[in-house]
Amino acid sequence: MEFGTRLLHNGNEIDPHTGAASIPVYLASTYHQSDPDRPGRFDYARSGNPTRLALERTIAELEGGVRGFAFSSGMAAISTVFLLFSSGDHLVVSRDVYGGTYRVLTQVLSRLGISCTFVDTTDLKQVEAAIRPETRGLFVETPSNPTLKVTDLAGAAAIARSRGLILIVDNTFLTPYYQTPLELGADIVVHSATKFLGGHSDVVAGLVVAKGEELAERIGALQNTVGAVLGVQDAWLLLRGMKTLKARMDVSARSAARIAEWLADHPAVRRVYYTGLPGHPGYRLQAKQARGNGAVLSFDVGSRERAMQVLKRVTLPLVAVSLGAVESILSHPATMSHASMPREERERRGITDGLLRLSVGLESAEDLIADLAEALSEKKMFVLGGG
Ligand SMILES: *Cc1c(COP(=O)(O)O)cnc(C)c1O
């Protein structure tokens, strides 16, 4: 069946006890054991909850893995997955990785004796060169944030397989609608479900899917041990949000493509990053390994002053961190999502002071373009002292 159908009919959408068309919010922390000799499916809600289980099974089905896990945030999910590694282990990580992932690697795991090397994973030779005898994992984010660099997932998986590494892919930007890393050879997919999966800027959540039983067992044990599980109300919100994932993505991605083309022709824009533009370095690879380009694009207006003016002048997008919502969100990576990254590291990643990231929502593309046109207008820039 096609993705849109599987979102709604995956075996986890109807309450098995009542037939209710929405999985109930099971607000219970513990479960009565009517026969202590034969424990039931659920015993304590950190270990399992029926609402959370429906969500976990849904994401596992959509990503094509054996088991899914829901966490209290994307970072809780990613941090828990990193606990698969031990002191002395080394990881190779995409240089353009999400700021929070960079922070947990460089400020927390480093203290625990888990080291990492950041490389441009779009160049697989750099990945191979960074592998050491103690390397155990490869962590890839593609397309990356915010310059949308594309890493060859099948190529990365071939390296991981031959060198015995666990390949972990952050699939937040594309979701399983557009990209299924497990089918390309990854071992684990992680998500900030706060973004497109939730889709409504109203829930913070993380999801993990394991491709095989062995890793699924270990992640399940870590989820239960560390305990950063997703709350039941949020699990329900996420299940609800995900039902419209395809419908939302179709509209937002179509608008993103139009806006990217429009920005590429705009005289005040120095550069546009969108994998759907033929000039993007990852255009062909993206077309090969993914089924779409998603709804996030970035563009460089040349200076911090100009970026600030655009942020102040737009009226439709939220000016905020985060992405992947029904409303468009415009952010300034240098001072928002990547503020915790040292300036030198940021600039190596192309995150200049003039870079803006736009997550396209469900507003009309025409209205968004008109709003951006006004915000970018040279005359206004000049009057405000920019340029
Ligand atoms: C937001 C984000 C995260 C972190 O998720 P939270 O839900 O905010 O903890 C991780 N990776 C990517 C690509 C993200 O955009």
Side-chain angles (χ1 to χ4, degrees):
M1 277 190 293
E2 285 185 18
F3 190 84
T5 310
R6 284 160 56 218
L7 274 175
L8 298 162
H9 304 279
N10 51 57
N12 307 295
E13 67 277 12
I14 296 167
D15 175 37
H17 304 292
T18 61
S22 150
I23 300 291
V25 179
Y26 280 95
L27 285 171
S29 59
T30 190
Y31 303 82
H32 175 61
Q33 306 299 322
S34 47
D35 179 353
D37 271 337
R38 277 182 292 160
R41 170 70 183 76
F42 299 101
D43 53 17
Y44 184 62
R46 171 162 34 75
S47 318
N49 169 284
T51 315
R52 201 177 87 213
L53 183 64
L55 169 65
E56 293 175 330
R57 286 182 168 162
T58 300
I59 191 66
E61 208 281 323
L62 297 174
E63 289 283 6
V66 295
R67 234 175 113 185
F69 305 91
F71 293 88
S72 54
S73 68
M75 282 320 304
I78 291 167
S79 301
T80 302
V81 165
F82 280 146
L83 295 177
L84 287 167
F85 301 100
S86 304
S87 175
D89 289 353
H90 171 258
L91 308 175
V92 177
V93 180
S94 292
R95 176 164 292 145
D96 272 14
V97 83
Y98 176 73
T101 306
Y102 175 84
R103 195 163 50 205
V104 75
L105 284 163
T106 57
Q107 294 182 19
V108 182
L109 295 172
S110 56
R111 286 193 285 104
L112 306 180
I114 300 169
S115 61
C116 69
T117 304
F118 295 100
V119 302
D120 179 356
T121 52
T122 67
D123 177 4
L124 293 177
K125 286 197 202 78
Q126 287 191 35
V127 173
E128 294 219 68
I131 295 173
R132 307 176 189 167
E134 65 274 24
T135 305
R136 298 283 176 271
L138 173 58
F139 187 102
V140 171
E141 198 176 308
T142 180
S144 69
N145 179 24
T147 56
L148 305 170
K149 291 201 184 116
V150 184
T151 293
D152 177 352
L153 286 176
I159 294 173
R161 212 175 310 118
S162 75
R163 307 296 287 265
L165 315 182
I166 298 173
L167 175 59
I168 304 159
V169 178
D170 186 331
N171 203 26
T172 299
F173 271 44
L174 290 184
T175 82
Y177 179 35
Y178 288 134
Q179 178 168 275
T180 31
L182 300 183
E183 286 171 6
L184 298 170
D187 300 296
I188 297 171
V189 164
V190 297
H191 279 283
S192 170
T194 311
K195 316 293 168 54
F196 290 103
L197 292 173
H200 295 73
S201 300
D202 54 11
V203 60
V204 172
L207 295 171
V208 173
V209 179
K211 185 176 186 178
E213 293 292 351
E214 197 256 343
L215 281 174
E217 281 293 319
R218 292 174 61 197
I219 295 167
L222 283 171
Q223 181 195 38
N224 189 34
T225 302
V226 177
V229 295
L230 185 61
V232 189
Q233 313 256 16
D234 288 343
W236 185 87
L237 269 174
L238 201 46
L239 275 169
R240 175 178 163 140
M242 282 165 61
K243 291 180 186 184
T244 56
L245 177 66
K246 177 184 183 296
R248 287 185 281 111
M249 277 300 212
D250 281 344
V251 173
S252 291
R254 201 181 318 126
S255 298
R258 289 209 45 200
I259 294 168
E261 279 167 21
W262 178 80
L263 284 169
D265 283 340
H266 197 289
V269 175
R270 298 223 172 135
R271 186 155 177 196
V272 181
Y273 300 87
Y274 185 62
T275 59
L277 291 178
H280 189 282
Y283 174 78
R284 291 180 64 179
L285 178 57
Q286 178 75 4
K288 189 176 129 204
Q289 72 180 12
R291 294 173 290 272
N293 297 293
V296 179
L297 58 96
S298 296
F299 56 105
D300 197 329
V301 294
S303 70
R304 183 191 158 92
E305 290 66 37
R306 282 173 166 257
M308 288 299 152
Q309 283 167 31
V310 173
L311 291 168
K312 285 177 189 161
R313 297 189 49 80
V314 288
T315 60
L316 291 178
L318 287 182
V319 173
V321 292
S322 201
L323 55 101
V326 289
E327 62 279 332
S328 294
I329 301 178
L330 186 64
S331 71
H332 185 238
T335 56
M336 294 176 169
S337 54
H338 291 68
S340 65
M341 196 172 274
R343 185 191 188 87
E344 189 187 306
E345 278 294 331
R346 253 202 295 118
E347 295 196 336
R348 273 178 82 188
R349 289 163 167 80
I351 306 166
T352 54
D353 286 349
L355 192 73
L356 292 165
R357 186 187 71 196
L358 179 65
S359 166
V360 180
L362 300 181
E363 303 90 345
S364 122
E366 294 309 312
D367 288 341
L368 287 171
I369 286 172
D371 196 29
L372 285 168
E374 186 63 25
L376 283 164
S377 101
E378 282 294 328
K379 197 175 105 234
K380 297 264 170 43
M381 289 274 193
F382 189 70
V383 169
L384 288 168

